Amino acid sequence: MSSHPVIELTSPSSWAMVEDKFSPFALETLAKLIKFQTEEVWPALRVAHAQLPDDQSRWKTVIPIIRDLKARARELGLWNLFLSKSHYPQHGVDLTNLEYAVMAEILGRGGHFASEVVNCSAPDTGNMEVLARYGSPEQQKKWLIPLLNGEIRSAFAMTERFIASSDATNIRTSIRQEGNEIVINGHKWWISGAGDPRCALHLVLGKSDPNSSDKYRQQSMVIVPANTPGVKIIRPMKVFGYDDAPEGHCEIIYDNVRVPLSNLILGWGKGFEIIQGRLGPGRIHHCMRSIGAAQNALDLMLARVTDPAKKTFGKYLYEHGTVVADIAKSRAEIESSRLLVYSAAAQIDKYKAKGALKEIGIAKFVVPSMALEVVDRAMQSFGAEGVSQDQSLAQTWAGLRTLRFADGPDAVHIQQIGQRELKRAPEVVKRLDAIKKKETGLFEKYQVKAHF
């Protein structure tokens, strides 16, 4: 059996399937990441929450211990691990998506802060990929490099109020050219990252050619500096009561916002192409971290149900009811979901995101729901404490629940996967007919009749 420290935090059998696909650099980086997270990051998580004020100043706060841990992560070379050099030779790290999948599971155990300290948290990860793949040299110099260095944060402005934003062709925000400027008018909400005092730019999706006969060429994407006149942050939205400060998820109005023409990304009518390129990797990153969140919840449950101080009626909690069965279900569901994620990550490495749409789509609607079930079982073992601020489980559950909407709702992914399967029907029917024909011939040859 492998002696790598990852087997203490994941499944030995799952690790055995992928260990030989890890480079020496990846193995060393994974071990270093585990040591950093277990010895420095996870012990700091409650401190980080305590350093975030309860009043409105929370939106102006850069959490001191997170700032210090980010500096430490850079010293250790644990930085921008999500950005694969195979796809982004100029800016990436020498890791495959499969290698990062295992690391992201480790990060997922520590929630959002654990990813932030290694510069691997959304929405910055997706925005960096957009700028690395589609940005001009000038845009990369001005915005991508500071993001890669962790000097600034960013927001991704797509979802809109008053429409069904799960269909991106419904987007109403206007993006039009006036001379050497682009003028933006629109009403967005759930714009993650926009509340952060370090947020320096928004990537805004809007309609630049609403009359185009091609509905997928009507949209464009533009860089909007966060301090541009007309950018009005209306309020932070709350997720089951959590505001996720200081980043937040904001409602924003863009009121006659003007930016230089050079802030257009890739070109007019390229918005839909950009978001499809961005959302594929982003979806699988969410799933990777969700595996870690589920694994952490199961670990908390194991500690709780074997705690002598929590005995009821003279028995450990695991000796009651369906607790053992719940543990077994959680273990099995995590194992199967992890393999889905590994499969999707491997497909991205081989064929890029476009060639892995099926695997990404399946993981996207299976993994968050699985993690929600696992966390719910863990909360149940904690009783009322499980839904309180004294445990991380309630906030973990709230964050996971949003993933059933984020980057496309479950229903959309399920529909797409079902339709993709239906396309196989003609070939399946052809194969079955061929088998039936040969079967009929065999009945005739051996002169027997079917019993059904």
Side-chain angles (χ1 to χ4, degrees):
M1 182 177 289
S2 173
S3 60
H4 198 283
V6 73
I7 63 172
E8 296 179 11
L9 299 173
T10 185
S11 160
S13 58
S14 296
W15 176 241
M17 292 180 65
V18 299
E19 183 178 13
D20 64 348
K21 296 176 175 60
F22 270 56
S23 69
F25 172 77
L27 289 169
E28 180 185 353
T29 302
L30 177 59
K32 194 186 301 183
L33 178 68
I34 290 170
K35 181 178 175 64
F36 177 55
Q37 291 286 321
T38 55
E39 295 183 4
E40 300 186 51
V41 178
W42 297 344
L45 295 177
R46 290 173 66 88
V47 178
H49 284 287
Q51 287 181 334
L52 188 64
D54 290 329
D55 58 20
Q56 286 301 306
S57 65
R58 64 201 278 108
W59 297 105
K60 299 177 181 179
T61 299
V62 176
I63 300 173
I65 199 166
I66 298 299
R67 179 193 60 216
D68 294 344
L69 285 169
K70 290 175 85 167
R72 175 69 174 142
R74 290 207 71 175
E75 289 176 7
L76 293 170
L78 299 171
W79 198 253
N80 295 332
L81 304 175
F82 72 96
L83 201 63
S84 175
K85 182 174 282 189
S86 62
H87 297 308
Y88 305 99
Q90 187 177 352
H91 305 289
V93 178
D94 199 12
L95 295 171
T96 65
N97 279 282
L98 179 59
E99 290 165 343
Y100 178 64
V102 179
M103 297 178 194
E105 178 179 336
I106 303 302
L107 296 175
R109 285 172 163 263
H112 185 76
F113 287 150
S115 293
E116 183 186 346
V117 299
V118 292
N119 215 37
C120 290
S121 59
D124 293 337
T125 48
N127 291 344
M128 285 187 268
E129 291 204 48
V130 165
L131 293 168
R133 180 178 298 179
Y134 305 111
S136 68
E138 294 77 13
Q139 291 168 351
Q140 291 181 354
K141 181 179 179 181
K142 186 172 183 178
W143 302 111
L144 175 59
I145 299 305
L147 279 169
L148 289 170
N149 291 337
E151 298 164 3
I152 59 174
R153 302 294 307 275
S154 62
F156 184 71
M158 176 177 166
T159 305
E160 296 189 3
R161 198 174 181 189
F162 308 120
I163 66 165
S165 293
S166 57
D167 179 354
T169 63
N170 288 334
I171 296 296
R172 293 178 181 173
T173 292
S174 168
I175 294 178
R176 71 181 193 278
Q177 182 177 353
E178 285 189 9
N180 291 325
E181 291 184 318
I182 297 174
V183 182
I184 303 104
N185 284 282
H187 194 157
K188 304 279 190 180
W189 70 344
W190 297 106
I191 307 308
S192 298
D196 197 299
R198 299 160 293 181
C199 181
L201 71 152
H202 302 180
L203 300 190
V204 181
L205 180 73
K207 278 197 175 174
S208 52
D209 187 6
N211 298 317
S212 173
S213 59
D214 184 348
K215 64 180 181 179
Y216 300 112
R217 298 275 296 175
Q218 297 176 350
Q219 307 83 8
S220 296
M221 183 168 288
V222 64
I223 299 169
V224 176
N227 60 358
T228 305
V231 177
K232 302 176 180 178
I233 296 182
I234 306 303
R235 58 173 174 159
M237 306 300 296
K238 293 185 177 181
V239 180
F240 295 104
Y242 296 102
D243 62 13
D244 293 337
E247 294 92 345
H249 316 281
C250 297
E251 180 177 356
I252 303 174
I253 291 176
Y254 298 93
D255 183 11
N256 271 338
V257 174
R258 292 177 176 269
V259 299
L261 189 58
S262 59
N263 281 25
L264 180 69
I265 300 177
L266 191 58
W268 295 107
K270 298 289 188 178
F272 207 88
E273 176 184 341
I274 293 170
I275 63 170
Q276 288 304 307
R278 181 189 190 277
L279 293 178
R283 287 169 179 148
I284 202 63
H285 291 169
H286 282 315
C287 292
M288 294 167 178
R289 291 188 292 265
S290 298
I291 300 290
Q295 182 67 61
N296 185 61
L298 177 56
D299 287 357
L300 292 174
M301 182 180 183
L302 291 174
R304 179 74 171 195
V305 302
T306 58
D307 184 353
K310 300 299 179 181
K311 283 184 176 181
T312 58
F313 307 104
K315 294 182 179 180
Y316 286 97
L317 292 179
Y318 73 83
E319 296 177 301
H320 290 283
T322 63
V323 174
V324 170
D326 288 342
I327 291 170
K329 289 176 185 176
S330 293
R331 175 79 275 146
E333 290 164 4
I334 291 170
E335 293 290 331
S336 57
S337 293
R338 181 185 286 116
L339 295 180
L340 268 178
V341 170
Y342 286 179
S343 173
Q347 288 294 99
I348 294 173
D349 285 329
K350 192 170 184 179
Y351 302 112
K352 296 190 177 181
K354 275 192 174 182
L357 292 178
K358 181 184 75 172
E359 291 76 14
I360 293 171
I362 294 173
K364 180 60 177 63
F365 72 78
V366 169
V367 175
S369 293
M370 173 282 300
L372 284 166
E373 286 290 333
V374 172
V375 174
D376 187 74
R377 293 181 192 122
M379 284 195 293
Q380 192 71 14
S381 73
F382 276 81
E385 186 182 347
V387 297
S388 76
Q389 69 271 36
D390 287 357
Q391 292 293 332
S392 62
L393 292 167
Q395 189 165 13
T396 298
W397 190 94
L400 288 167
R401 185 60 183 83
T402 66
L403 294 186
R404 295 190 59 203
F405 302 114
D407 297 344
D410 283 4
V412 171
H413 293 292
I414 291 170
Q415 184 76 2
Q416 289 174 344
I417 296 302
Q419 289 175 345
R420 184 180 288 267
E421 283 297 291
L422 283 170
K423 289 179 180 178
R424 298 195 307 113
E427 188 61 35
V428 169
V429 171
K430 182 179 178 181
R431 183 173 68 250
L432 293 176
D433 285 346
I435 293 171
K436 185 69 176 177
K437 186 177 180 179
K438 290 184 177 182
E439 179 188 72
T440 301
L442 290 171
F443 273 117
E444 293 174 353
K445 178 179 179 180
Y446 290 98
Q447 299 182 349
V448 293
K449 291 183 178 181
H451 295 299
F452 54 88

